[in-house]
Amino acid sequence: MVFHLTLKDLYKFVFEEIYKAYEECRLNCELAMKQNTEKIFINNVFSFEWEMQPYFELAEIFQYRIHVLTVENRHGSENSHGITKEQILKMAEKFKVKLF
């Protein structure tokens, strides 16, 4: 018998525990910087400047240069976290872009 698992079968988004994911991501970044990893890519949702601030601080400590890449939903697909369109619109209204 063969079972086919999808991402939805393996992953369940729990908003109340999002802080754990943010902390694990930050710790992994810090570890990579301590190991002098040449290039580090952070794949995370940063809607606010304060969410990026820990990475700016780490970059200063370990002398890394940061580039922020913002990805748009031009293909119109649904998110995999089950976040409602209303919530996404609220996030979009608060989103700020710093061009220079």
Side-chain angles (χ1 to χ4, degrees):
M1 182 175 265
V2 176
F3 293 98
H4 296 283
L5 295 176
T6 66
L7 182 59
K8 288 183 180 183
D9 295 324
L10 301 173
Y11 173 78
K12 182 177 181 198
F13 177 74
V14 179
F15 180 78
E16 294 77 21
E17 295 186 9
I18 196 169
Y19 70 94
K20 293 178 184 178
Y22 276 104
E23 182 61 12
E24 181 178 359
C25 186
R26 189 198 63 74
L27 289 171
N28 287 337
C29 177
E30 183 175 6
L31 178 61
M33 287 181 174
K34 285 180 178 178
Q35 295 174 345
N36 264 346
T37 303
E38 184 179 352
K39 293 181 182 178
I40 303 167
F41 295 85
I42 307 297
N43 180 6
N44 212 329
V45 177
F46 298 119
S47 301
F48 304 102
E49 181 98 9
W50 65 264
E51 293 170 321
M52 293 184 274
Q53 191 59 40
Y55 299 94
F56 295 143
E57 292 169 4
L58 286 171
E60 187 173 327
I61 292 167
F62 294 101
Q63 298 180 336
Y64 275 80
R65 181 182 301 166
I66 290 184
H67 301 275
V68 177
L69 175 69
T70 301
V71 179
E72 299 178 50
N73 186 14
R74 291 184 179 260
H75 51 12
S77 69
E78 295 294 321
N79 70 79
S80 61
H81 302 297
I83 299 172
T84 65
K85 287 188 179 190
E86 292 79 19
Q87 185 62 31
I88 291 173
L89 288 173
K90 287 180 186 178
M91 292 168 59
E93 289 173 3
K94 296 175 183 177
F95 187 75
K96 301 286 187 244
V97 176
K98 185 175 181 178
L99 296 177
F100 50 91

